[in-house]
Amino acid sequence: MGVITRAEDFYLPPPILDPTPWDDAAPAERVIRWTEHHQQRRITTDPTAQAGQLYARINHSRWVADCTCGSAQIVSPADPRMWCVVCGAGWWQLIFPADIGTVEESLAALPIIERNWWATADPVFPALEV
């Protein structure tokens, strides 16, 4: 695991399950499996349902994306997509920075609570007003 937590680091199979089926699951699909197990419900996805684009950001040392429904989940640059497990809007295509390693390294020396990053092109970028 690196300095910044990604979906494949966080959404791990529970110890009571065989981890083998999880090994080949893409990070975005691990989120679905993890949620199904923890919430004891089935999540149906549609591979053709496209929801649009969202910017990924770093929040407290985790790559996250915020769905338009208000929920968020940990995501991964290794699989730049997200199926919202709350509203099921479709597959969101995630926008990550061009140089992910540089962004992550720039935060490495900070305390976890201060490891935050936003894409300045993100329309919901929190502009500081003076």
Side-chain angles (χ1 to χ4, degrees), residues 8-28:
E8 58 268 30
D9 304 321
F10 183 83
Y11 299 105
L12 301 173
I16 62 169
L17 295 180
D18 176 11
T20 308
W22 292 61
D23 292 343
D24 294 329

Side-chain angles (χ1 to χ4, degrees), residues 6-43:
R6 299 175 177 200
E8 58 268 30
D9 304 321
F10 183 83
Y11 299 105
L12 301 173
I16 62 169
L17 295 180
D18 176 11
T20 308
W22 292 61
D23 292 343
D24 294 329
E29 293 162 8
R30 283 177 168 237
V31 177
I32 297 164
R33 284 183 188 219
W34 189 91
T35 303
E36 286 179 331
H37 176 77
H38 287 278
Q39 294 183 358
Q40 293 297 294
R41 67 181 178 100
R42 176 69 58 205
I43 298 173

Side-chain angles (χ1 to χ4, degrees), residues 96-118:
F96 284 88
D99 194 349
I100 294 162
T102 300
V103 170
E104 290 181 345
E105 284 299 314
S106 72
L107 303 173
L110 298 172
I112 289 174
I113 198 166
E114 293 179 19
R115 291 182 193 159
N116 301 303
W117 176 88
W118 291 71

Side-chain angles (χ1 to χ4, degrees), residues 85 89 97 117 125:
V85 296
W117 176 88
F125 176 76

